[in-house]
Amino acid sequence: MADMAHVRGACLVLLISHVRCHEMTSNTDQHRRLLALDNTLRPCNSSVVEPPGCYGNDCATNATCPIGQYVQSCSSTPKNQGDGISVTSNACTAHSSGPRNRQSPRATCTSSPTTVVESGPLYLDNQEVTASCPAETDAIQCTCHSPWSVCGTTTEFYPSGNRCTKHIRVSDGRRRGTGGGAGAKVYAICRAPTALDGSGTVFASGCYGNDCATNATCPIGQYVQSCSSTPRHQGDGISVTSNACTAHSSGPRNRQSAEATCCAVPTTVVESGPLYLDNQEVTASCPAETDAIQCTCHSPWSVCGTTTEFYPSGNRCTKHIRVSDGRRRGTGGGAGAKGYAICRPTTDASIVAPTEAPTHVRTVTKANGTAAADSSDSSRGGTPVWVIVLASIGSCVTVVAIVVVVVLYRRNQLSVVLSRMYSVVATLEGQTPECALDSHDGTEKLGFKAGCDQL
């Protein structure tokens, strides 16, 4: 029984290794497809700058936007670690906290002008630290930097209204209130409330209030390529048409701003249906000869869940909608949520639609700010499942044979088995069994008697 357990264990290990190898290949292909999609969706005049990070206490790495572009968002990898993130209007800086903490910055840049407000000239601790955007601008992102690592669990976070506020605990700095101070600084990235930059990105200032909607409308002759809201994945979600992106607020304390990426490439938008639906899978499917490039969800009852924008699955946008408290279920406009699929013609060779949501997507640009795209398509390059299964079965058979031989050898039965095999072969060849071998007890050398025909 123990030997058979070893056989089963060896087969299981081999099967898992084959499947893992297949998964790794699929994930790599999927990453490449999502990378290509990410670069396709990015406007022509925008870029993502992501240089390698560095190790060491207070080591800083800058991601600088190309000339004529401005920081729209700033993050670090790994997220929310190290000494945090500082930012200017054209650069994002990630700060390491020690020899084992490597921090890499990632800056998203476009030609839409931004300004950055710092909480003040001093690092502060044991208080609320705030950076407020000027009038007529919106706070679009907040970051925190502390050489004493007191930013807490988040080094980048969403604004509250037009301000970035964070509670900073007591630090062990000794220059509190003098010199550069001690504690942390907060940074707010600020942008004009409504702007169309040279990249084709439309930003619409948000609004407060239940069912309040804000539209980011593309210029005439351009179409929505992607649609998002700020803060992301909040409020009542996002609805979209071929030329407008709409962010929906859910209450007096929830301000939702809309952002649409627009290009001259035509798109169509498919709605899941005329009714809002709940307690089921809600699907919007793109027509033939088009690719689903983004999905959004809108629910006046706030039942879109944790994501209001997400990646398609194949050529469809599907999302499970929980039960809502709407009373018009199945009548009138229904109750629950609607899904939207942004669809684009497949004739554009640069378009590669994903088949599932990414676990991680890192888009690295070249030094000149241009994105390096990889248009590999895993739908044509993956290993078929039946090949994986056959390879696994063949490997198991090989392992079983090896284990059987080893077990027989250890039990001194190998020579007996071989003797009997020779007897069978000899009989099939017309020899008599007596002529086949000298003995069956394994005490004598295996072979044929003198005068017998050799096989």
Side-chain angles (χ1 to χ4, degrees):
M1 295 296 292
D3 295 327
M4 290 306 298
H6 292 158
V7 173
R8 289 194 299 269
C11 287
L12 182 60
V13 169
L14 276 172
L15 181 60
I16 292 175
S17 64
H18 278 291
V19 173
R20 290 292 186 194
C21 181
H22 177 63
E23 288 178 351
M24 288 176 64
T25 303
S26 298
N27 287 340
T28 300
D29 293 338
Q30 180 68 9
H31 169 71
R32 290 172 177 169
R33 299 175 75 198
L34 291 172
L35 187 71
L37 177 69
D38 188 37
N39 284 289
T40 301
L41 292 181
R42 188 176 300 116
C44 300
N45 195 24
S46 70
S47 56
V48 173
V49 183
E50 190 174 18
C54 65
Y55 299 90
N57 188 35
D58 295 331
C59 178
T61 304
N62 297 317
T64 304
C65 293
I67 296 174
Q69 294 190 10
Y70 303 83
V71 172
Q72 307 297 317
S73 67
C74 177
S75 61
S76 63
T77 303
K79 291 187 68 174
N80 302 319
Q81 295 187 25
D83 284 344
I85 305 167
S86 60
V87 61
T88 65
S89 61
N90 75 327
C92 168
T93 304
H95 301 265
S96 173
S97 60
R100 295 185 179 181
N101 176 249
R102 179 176 183 174
Q103 290 292 112
S104 303
R106 186 180 195 269
T108 301
C109 312
T110 76
S111 56
S112 180
T114 58
T115 58
V116 173
V117 177
E118 189 180 59
S119 54
L122 297 181
Y123 292 95
L124 302 175
D125 69 345
N126 197 28
Q127 60 186 286
E128 299 286 325
V129 178
T130 298
S132 299
C133 286
E136 305 303 325
T137 63
D138 286 328
I140 58 175
Q141 192 192 16
C142 310
T143 69
C144 177
H145 169 227
S146 169
W148 297 270
S149 303
V150 293
C151 282
T153 56
T154 54
T155 59
E156 53 182 289
F157 54 100
Y158 286 113
S160 175
N162 208 37
R163 301 182 304 168
C164 295
T165 300
K166 190 174 183 61
H167 180 79
I168 304 300
R169 63 178 176 84
V170 175
S171 76
D172 56 3
R174 293 172 293 179
R175 299 173 299 178
R176 187 171 293 106
T178 62
K185 288 183 179 181
V186 169
Y187 299 82
I189 303 177
C190 312
R191 189 168 56 192
T194 302
L196 173 63
D197 63 19
S199 68
T201 303
V202 180
F203 309 106
S205 181
C207 64
Y208 299 91
N210 187 38
D211 295 332
C212 177
T214 302
N215 296 315
T217 304
C218 293
I220 296 174
Q222 295 192 11
Y223 304 83
V224 172
Q225 309 296 316
S226 68
C227 177
S228 62
S229 63
T230 303
R232 293 185 68 191
H233 307 308
Q234 295 187 27
D236 283 344
I238 304 168
S239 60
V240 61
T241 65
S242 60
N243 74 327
C245 168
T246 303
H248 301 265
S249 172
S250 59
R253 296 185 179 182
N254 175 248
R255 179 178 183 174
Q256 290 293 110
S257 303
E259 177 177 329
T261 300
C262 309
C263 285
V265 177
T267 58
T268 57
V269 173
V270 176
E271 189 180 59
S272 54
L275 297 182
Y276 291 96
L277 303 174
D278 69 346
N279 197 29
Q280 60 186 285
E281 299 286 325
V282 176
T283 298
S285 300
C286 285
E289 307 301 325
T290 64
D291 287 324
I293 57 176
Q294 191 193 17
C295 310
T296 69
C297 176
H298 170 227
S299 169
W301 297 269
S302 304
V303 292
C304 282
T306 57
T307 55
T308 58
E309 54 181 289
F310 53 99
Y311 281 88
S313 175
N315 209 36
R316 301 182 304 168
C317 294
T318 300
K319 188 174 183 63
H320 181 78
I321 304 300
R322 62 179 176 83
V323 175
S324 76
D325 55 3
R327 293 171 294 179
R328 300 173 300 178
R329 187 171 293 104
T331 62
K338 288 183 180 181
Y340 297 84
I342 303 177
C343 313
R344 194 162 52 182
T346 56
T347 52
D348 186 342
S350 65
I351 301 170
V352 183
T355 56
E356 60 185 43
T359 53
H360 62 280
V361 177
R362 295 184 61 193
T363 307
V364 182
T365 59
K366 299 176 182 179
N368 61 4
T370 59
D374 186 342
S375 58
S376 301
D377 187 349
S378 64
S379 65
R380 294 188 295 269
T383 304
V385 175
W386 65 270
V387 174
I388 302 297
V389 173
L390 288 179
S392 300
I393 294 174
S395 300
C396 286
V397 171
T398 302
V399 170
V400 169
I402 293 173
V403 172
V404 169
V405 170
V406 171
V407 171
L408 291 174
Y409 177 79
R410 292 177 60 184
R411 295 183 178 182
N412 295 323
Q413 296 295 314
L414 182 59
S415 58
V416 174
V417 173
L418 291 177
S419 299
R420 291 174 179 171
M421 290 173 61
Y422 277 119
S423 297
V424 172
V425 173
T427 301
L428 293 175
E429 291 293 329
Q431 301 278 11
T432 61
E434 294 78 9
C435 205
L437 296 167
D438 289 331
S439 69
H440 297 299
D441 60 4
T443 58
E444 297 183 23
K445 182 178 179 181
L446 298 175
F448 290 92
K449 291 183 179 180
C452 292
D453 295 334
Q454 301 298 310
L455 294 177

